[in-house]
Short mmCIF file of all heavy atoms in Angstrom, two decimals:
data_model
loop_
_atom_site.label_atom_id
_atom_site.label_comp_id
_atom_site.label_asym_id
_atom_site.label_seq_id
_atom_site.Cartn_x
_atom_site.Cartn_y
_atom_site.Cartn_z
N SER A 629 10.92 -67.04 5.48
CA SER A 629 12.22 -67.23 4.84
C SER A 629 13.35 -66.88 5.81
O SER A 629 14.40 -67.51 5.80
CB SER A 629 12.33 -66.42 3.55
OG SER A 629 12.41 -65.04 3.82
N LEU A 630 13.12 -65.91 6.69
CA LEU A 630 14.12 -65.59 7.72
C LEU A 630 14.28 -66.76 8.68
O LEU A 630 15.39 -67.09 9.08
CB LEU A 630 13.72 -64.32 8.49
CG LEU A 630 13.76 -63.03 7.70
CD1 LEU A 630 13.22 -61.88 8.54
CD2 LEU A 630 15.15 -62.71 7.20
N PHE A 631 13.18 -67.42 9.04
CA PHE A 631 13.25 -68.60 9.89
C PHE A 631 14.06 -69.68 9.20
O PHE A 631 14.91 -70.32 9.81
CB PHE A 631 11.86 -69.16 10.18
CG PHE A 631 11.05 -68.39 11.17
CD1 PHE A 631 9.72 -68.69 11.35
CD2 PHE A 631 11.58 -67.36 11.92
CE1 PHE A 631 8.95 -68.02 12.26
CE2 PHE A 631 10.82 -66.66 12.83
CZ PHE A 631 9.49 -66.99 13.00
N ASP A 632 13.76 -69.90 7.92
CA ASP A 632 14.46 -70.94 7.16
C ASP A 632 15.96 -70.67 7.13
O ASP A 632 16.76 -71.59 7.34
CB ASP A 632 13.90 -71.05 5.74
CG ASP A 632 12.48 -71.59 5.71
OD1 ASP A 632 12.02 -72.17 6.71
OD2 ASP A 632 11.82 -71.41 4.66
N GLU A 633 16.33 -69.41 6.87
CA GLU A 633 17.76 -69.07 6.84
C GLU A 633 18.39 -69.29 8.21
O GLU A 633 19.49 -69.83 8.32
CB GLU A 633 17.94 -67.60 6.42
CG GLU A 633 17.69 -67.37 4.95
CD GLU A 633 17.81 -65.90 4.58
OE1 GLU A 633 18.54 -65.15 5.29
OE2 GLU A 633 17.20 -65.50 3.58
N GLU A 634 17.69 -68.91 9.26
CA GLU A 634 18.23 -69.08 10.61
C GLU A 634 18.40 -70.56 10.94
O GLU A 634 19.41 -70.97 11.51
CB GLU A 634 17.29 -68.42 11.64
CG GLU A 634 17.86 -68.43 13.03
CD GLU A 634 17.02 -67.62 14.01
OE1 GLU A 634 16.40 -66.63 13.60
OE2 GLU A 634 17.01 -68.01 15.18
N GLN A 635 17.42 -71.38 10.53
CA GLN A 635 17.52 -72.82 10.76
C GLN A 635 18.69 -73.42 10.00
O GLN A 635 19.39 -74.29 10.52
CB GLN A 635 16.21 -73.52 10.39
CG GLN A 635 15.06 -73.21 11.32
CD GLN A 635 15.37 -73.53 12.76
OE1 GLN A 635 15.63 -72.64 13.55
NE2 GLN A 635 15.39 -74.78 13.12
N ILE A 636 18.91 -72.98 8.78
CA ILE A 636 20.02 -73.47 7.97
C ILE A 636 21.34 -73.12 8.65
O ILE A 636 22.25 -73.97 8.77
CB ILE A 636 19.97 -72.90 6.54
CG1 ILE A 636 18.80 -73.52 5.78
CG2 ILE A 636 21.28 -73.11 5.80
CD1 ILE A 636 18.46 -72.81 4.48
N ILE A 637 21.47 -71.90 9.13
CA ILE A 637 22.69 -71.48 9.79
C ILE A 637 22.92 -72.28 11.06
O ILE A 637 24.03 -72.76 11.32
CB ILE A 637 22.66 -69.96 10.07
CG1 ILE A 637 22.75 -69.18 8.74
CG2 ILE A 637 23.78 -69.54 11.02
CD1 ILE A 637 22.46 -67.70 8.86
N LYS A 638 21.86 -72.44 11.86
CA LYS A 638 22.00 -73.22 13.10
C LYS A 638 22.40 -74.66 12.79
O LYS A 638 23.24 -75.24 13.48
CB LYS A 638 20.69 -73.20 13.88
CG LYS A 638 20.44 -71.92 14.63
CD LYS A 638 19.14 -71.98 15.40
CE LYS A 638 18.88 -70.69 16.15
NZ LYS A 638 17.59 -70.71 16.85
N SER A 639 21.79 -75.24 11.76
CA SER A 639 22.11 -76.61 11.38
C SER A 639 23.57 -76.73 10.93
O SER A 639 24.26 -77.68 11.28
CB SER A 639 21.17 -77.07 10.26
OG SER A 639 21.50 -78.35 9.84
N PHE A 640 24.03 -75.75 10.16
CA PHE A 640 25.42 -75.75 9.69
C PHE A 640 26.39 -75.66 10.87
O PHE A 640 27.36 -76.41 10.94
CB PHE A 640 25.66 -74.57 8.73
CG PHE A 640 27.09 -74.42 8.31
CD1 PHE A 640 27.64 -75.28 7.38
CD2 PHE A 640 27.89 -73.44 8.86
CE1 PHE A 640 28.96 -75.16 6.99
CE2 PHE A 640 29.21 -73.31 8.49
CZ PHE A 640 29.76 -74.17 7.55
N ILE A 641 26.11 -74.77 11.80
CA ILE A 641 26.98 -74.61 12.97
C ILE A 641 27.00 -75.90 13.78
O ILE A 641 28.07 -76.35 14.21
CB ILE A 641 26.53 -73.41 13.83
CG1 ILE A 641 26.80 -72.10 13.08
CG2 ILE A 641 27.21 -73.41 15.20
CD1 ILE A 641 26.17 -70.88 13.70
N LYS A 642 25.84 -76.50 13.98
CA LYS A 642 25.77 -77.74 14.74
C LYS A 642 26.58 -78.84 14.03
O LYS A 642 27.32 -79.59 14.67
CB LYS A 642 24.31 -78.18 14.89
CG LYS A 642 24.11 -79.38 15.75
CD LYS A 642 22.64 -79.71 15.92
CE LYS A 642 22.44 -80.94 16.77
NZ LYS A 642 21.02 -81.28 16.91
N SER A 643 26.47 -78.91 12.73
CA SER A 643 27.20 -79.90 11.95
C SER A 643 28.71 -79.68 12.06
O SER A 643 29.47 -80.63 12.22
CB SER A 643 26.77 -79.83 10.48
OG SER A 643 27.57 -80.65 9.68
N GLU A 644 29.13 -78.41 11.97
CA GLU A 644 30.56 -78.09 12.09
C GLU A 644 31.09 -78.48 13.46
O GLU A 644 32.18 -79.04 13.56
CB GLU A 644 30.79 -76.59 11.85
CG GLU A 644 30.65 -76.17 10.39
CD GLU A 644 31.73 -76.77 9.52
OE1 GLU A 644 32.92 -76.58 9.83
OE2 GLU A 644 31.39 -77.41 8.52
N ARG A 645 30.32 -78.20 14.50
CA ARG A 645 30.76 -78.54 15.86
C ARG A 645 30.85 -80.06 16.02
O ARG A 645 31.78 -80.57 16.66
CB ARG A 645 29.79 -77.97 16.89
CG ARG A 645 29.94 -76.47 17.05
CD ARG A 645 29.04 -75.91 18.10
NE ARG A 645 29.21 -74.47 18.22
CZ ARG A 645 28.30 -73.64 18.62
NH1 ARG A 645 27.10 -74.10 18.98
NH2 ARG A 645 28.53 -72.35 18.69
N HIS A 646 29.91 -80.77 15.42
CA HIS A 646 29.92 -82.23 15.51
C HIS A 646 31.16 -82.78 14.79
O HIS A 646 31.83 -83.68 15.28
CB HIS A 646 28.64 -82.82 14.93
CG HIS A 646 28.52 -84.30 15.11
ND1 HIS A 646 28.93 -85.19 14.17
CD2 HIS A 646 28.07 -85.03 16.16
CE1 HIS A 646 28.74 -86.42 14.61
NE2 HIS A 646 28.20 -86.36 15.81
N ASP A 647 31.45 -82.23 13.61
CA ASP A 647 32.64 -82.67 12.85
C ASP A 647 33.91 -82.39 13.65
O ASP A 647 34.82 -83.24 13.69
CB ASP A 647 32.71 -81.95 11.50
CG ASP A 647 31.62 -82.40 10.54
OD1 ASP A 647 30.95 -83.42 10.80
OD2 ASP A 647 31.44 -81.72 9.51
N GLU A 648 33.99 -81.24 14.30
CA GLU A 648 35.17 -80.91 15.11
C GLU A 648 35.31 -81.87 16.27
O GLU A 648 36.43 -82.31 16.60
CB GLU A 648 35.08 -79.47 15.61
CG GLU A 648 35.29 -78.42 14.53
CD GLU A 648 35.03 -77.01 15.03
OE1 GLU A 648 34.87 -76.81 16.26
OE2 GLU A 648 34.97 -76.11 14.18
N ALA A 649 34.18 -82.21 16.90
CA ALA A 649 34.20 -83.14 18.03
C ALA A 649 34.69 -84.52 17.56
O ALA A 649 35.49 -85.18 18.24
CB ALA A 649 32.82 -83.25 18.66
N ARG A 650 34.22 -84.96 16.39
CA ARG A 650 34.66 -86.25 15.85
C ARG A 650 36.16 -86.24 15.56
O ARG A 650 36.85 -87.22 15.85
CB ARG A 650 33.88 -86.60 14.57
CG ARG A 650 32.50 -87.19 14.81
CD ARG A 650 31.85 -87.61 13.50
NE ARG A 650 32.60 -88.63 12.79
CZ ARG A 650 32.48 -89.94 12.97
NH1 ARG A 650 31.64 -90.41 13.87
NH2 ARG A 650 33.20 -90.79 12.26
N GLU A 651 36.63 -85.16 14.98
CA GLU A 651 38.07 -85.05 14.68
C GLU A 651 38.90 -85.10 15.95
O GLU A 651 39.94 -85.76 16.00
CB GLU A 651 38.35 -83.77 13.88
CG GLU A 651 37.82 -83.82 12.46
CD GLU A 651 37.90 -82.47 11.76
OE1 GLU A 651 38.53 -81.53 12.29
OE2 GLU A 651 37.32 -82.35 10.67
N THR A 652 38.43 -84.40 16.98
CA THR A 652 39.14 -84.41 18.26
C THR A 652 39.17 -85.81 18.85
O THR A 652 40.22 -86.31 19.27
CB THR A 652 38.47 -83.42 19.25
OG1 THR A 652 38.54 -82.10 18.69
CG2 THR A 652 39.15 -83.45 20.62
N ALA A 653 38.02 -86.46 18.88
CA ALA A 653 37.93 -87.82 19.43
C ALA A 653 38.80 -88.78 18.61
O ALA A 653 39.47 -89.64 19.17
CB ALA A 653 36.49 -88.28 19.44
N GLU A 654 38.80 -88.62 17.30
CA GLU A 654 39.60 -89.49 16.44
C GLU A 654 41.09 -89.34 16.78
O GLU A 654 41.80 -90.34 16.89
CB GLU A 654 39.35 -89.15 14.98
CG GLU A 654 40.07 -90.07 14.01
CD GLU A 654 39.76 -89.77 12.55
OE1 GLU A 654 38.78 -89.04 12.27
OE2 GLU A 654 40.49 -90.27 11.69
N ARG A 655 41.56 -88.11 16.95
CA ARG A 655 42.97 -87.89 17.32
C ARG A 655 43.28 -88.55 18.67
O ARG A 655 44.33 -89.16 18.84
CB ARG A 655 43.28 -86.40 17.36
CG ARG A 655 43.45 -85.76 15.99
CD ARG A 655 44.07 -84.37 16.07
NE ARG A 655 43.34 -83.44 16.93
CZ ARG A 655 42.31 -82.69 16.54
NH1 ARG A 655 41.87 -82.76 15.30
NH2 ARG A 655 41.72 -81.87 17.39
N MET A 656 42.35 -88.44 19.60
CA MET A 656 42.57 -89.03 20.93
C MET A 656 42.62 -90.56 20.85
O MET A 656 43.45 -91.18 21.51
CB MET A 656 41.46 -88.57 21.88
CG MET A 656 41.49 -87.09 22.18
SD MET A 656 40.04 -86.57 23.11
CE MET A 656 40.83 -86.00 24.60
N ILE A 657 41.75 -91.13 20.02
CA ILE A 657 41.75 -92.59 19.87
C ILE A 657 43.06 -93.03 19.23
O ILE A 657 43.68 -94.01 19.66
CB ILE A 657 40.52 -93.03 19.03
CG1 ILE A 657 39.23 -92.83 19.82
CG2 ILE A 657 40.67 -94.49 18.59
CD1 ILE A 657 37.96 -92.96 18.99
N LYS A 658 43.51 -92.31 18.22
CA LYS A 658 44.77 -92.67 17.54
C LYS A 658 45.96 -92.59 18.48
O LYS A 658 46.89 -93.39 18.37
CB LYS A 658 44.99 -91.77 16.32
CG LYS A 658 44.12 -92.11 15.15
CD LYS A 658 44.36 -91.18 13.98
CE LYS A 658 43.49 -91.56 12.80
NZ LYS A 658 43.64 -90.64 11.67
N MET A 659 45.94 -91.65 19.42
CA MET A 659 47.03 -91.53 20.38
C MET A 659 47.06 -92.76 21.30
O MET A 659 48.13 -93.15 21.75
CB MET A 659 46.87 -90.27 21.23
CG MET A 659 47.18 -89.00 20.46
SD MET A 659 46.81 -87.48 21.37
CE MET A 659 47.66 -87.75 22.90
N GLY A 660 45.91 -93.35 21.55
CA GLY A 660 45.83 -94.60 22.31
C GLY A 660 46.13 -94.45 23.80
O GLY A 660 46.37 -95.44 24.47
N LYS A 661 46.10 -93.27 24.33
CA LYS A 661 46.45 -93.07 25.74
C LYS A 661 45.23 -93.01 26.65
O LYS A 661 45.37 -93.11 27.87
CB LYS A 661 47.27 -91.80 25.89
CG LYS A 661 48.62 -91.90 25.21
CD LYS A 661 49.44 -90.65 25.43
CE LYS A 661 50.78 -90.83 24.72
NZ LYS A 661 51.65 -89.71 24.95
N LEU A 662 44.05 -92.81 26.06
CA LEU A 662 42.84 -92.67 26.87
C LEU A 662 41.82 -93.74 26.50
O LEU A 662 41.73 -94.16 25.35
CB LEU A 662 42.21 -91.28 26.65
CG LEU A 662 43.04 -90.06 27.03
CD1 LEU A 662 42.34 -88.79 26.59
CD2 LEU A 662 43.28 -90.03 28.53
N SER A 663 41.03 -94.13 27.47
CA SER A 663 39.93 -95.06 27.20
C SER A 663 38.77 -94.28 26.60
O SER A 663 38.73 -93.04 26.67
CB SER A 663 39.47 -95.73 28.51
OG SER A 663 38.83 -94.76 29.33
N LEU A 664 37.80 -94.99 26.04
CA LEU A 664 36.62 -94.31 25.49
C LEU A 664 35.86 -93.58 26.59
O LEU A 664 35.30 -92.51 26.36
CB LEU A 664 35.70 -95.30 24.78
CG LEU A 664 36.21 -95.87 23.46
CD1 LEU A 664 35.16 -96.76 22.81
CD2 LEU A 664 36.63 -94.78 22.49
N ASP A 665 35.84 -94.14 27.79
CA ASP A 665 35.18 -93.45 28.92
C ASP A 665 35.85 -92.09 29.18
O ASP A 665 35.16 -91.10 29.40
CB ASP A 665 35.26 -94.30 30.19
CG ASP A 665 34.27 -95.47 30.18
OD1 ASP A 665 33.19 -95.31 29.57
OD2 ASP A 665 34.59 -96.51 30.77
N GLU A 666 37.17 -92.08 29.14
CA GLU A 666 37.90 -90.83 29.37
C GLU A 666 37.68 -89.85 28.23
O GLU A 666 37.46 -88.65 28.45
CB GLU A 666 39.39 -91.11 29.57
CG GLU A 666 39.68 -91.87 30.85
CD GLU A 666 41.10 -92.40 30.91
OE1 GLU A 666 41.59 -92.90 29.87
OE2 GLU A 666 41.70 -92.30 31.98
N ILE A 667 37.70 -90.35 27.01
CA ILE A 667 37.49 -89.49 25.83
C ILE A 667 36.09 -88.87 25.89
O ILE A 667 35.90 -87.70 25.57
CB ILE A 667 37.70 -90.27 24.51
CG1 ILE A 667 39.18 -90.64 24.38
CG2 ILE A 667 37.24 -89.46 23.31
CD1 ILE A 667 39.48 -91.60 23.23
N SER A 668 35.11 -89.66 26.36
CA SER A 668 33.75 -89.14 26.44
C SER A 668 33.64 -87.96 27.39
O SER A 668 32.76 -87.10 27.24
CB SER A 668 32.76 -90.24 26.82
OG SER A 668 32.94 -90.61 28.17
N LEU A 669 34.53 -87.89 28.36
CA LEU A 669 34.54 -86.74 29.28
C LEU A 669 35.05 -85.48 28.58
O LEU A 669 34.63 -84.38 28.87
CB LEU A 669 35.41 -87.03 30.50
CG LEU A 669 34.94 -88.16 31.41
CD1 LEU A 669 35.98 -88.45 32.48
CD2 LEU A 669 33.60 -87.81 32.03
#
């Protein structure tokens, strides 16, 4: 059960980081100043 809880927490953190990355990339795309290659950096 401790493993399960740890896996849930790790999954949540990974999901949150992914969502933050998407939001950042979305703002950059909306600004229209960078190419996708540049945003990927």
Side-chain angles (χ1 to χ4, degrees):
S629 70
L630 292 175
F631 285 170
D632 292 343
E633 286 177 26
E634 187 173 328
Q635 290 304 103
I636 290 167
I637 291 169
K638 283 181 180 177
S639 177
F640 174 76
I641 291 169
K642 185 177 179 181
S643 172
E644 286 293 305
R645 286 183 180 152
H646 186 266
D647 291 348
E648 288 173 10
R650 279 185 60 88
E651 289 170 10
T652 299
E654 184 177 346
R655 284 193 304 274
M656 294 172 118
I657 290 168
K658 285 180 179 177
M659 287 173 52
K661 295 182 180 184
L662 298 173
S663 70
L664 289 184
D665 284 329
E666 292 168 319
I667 292 171
S668 70
L669 296 173

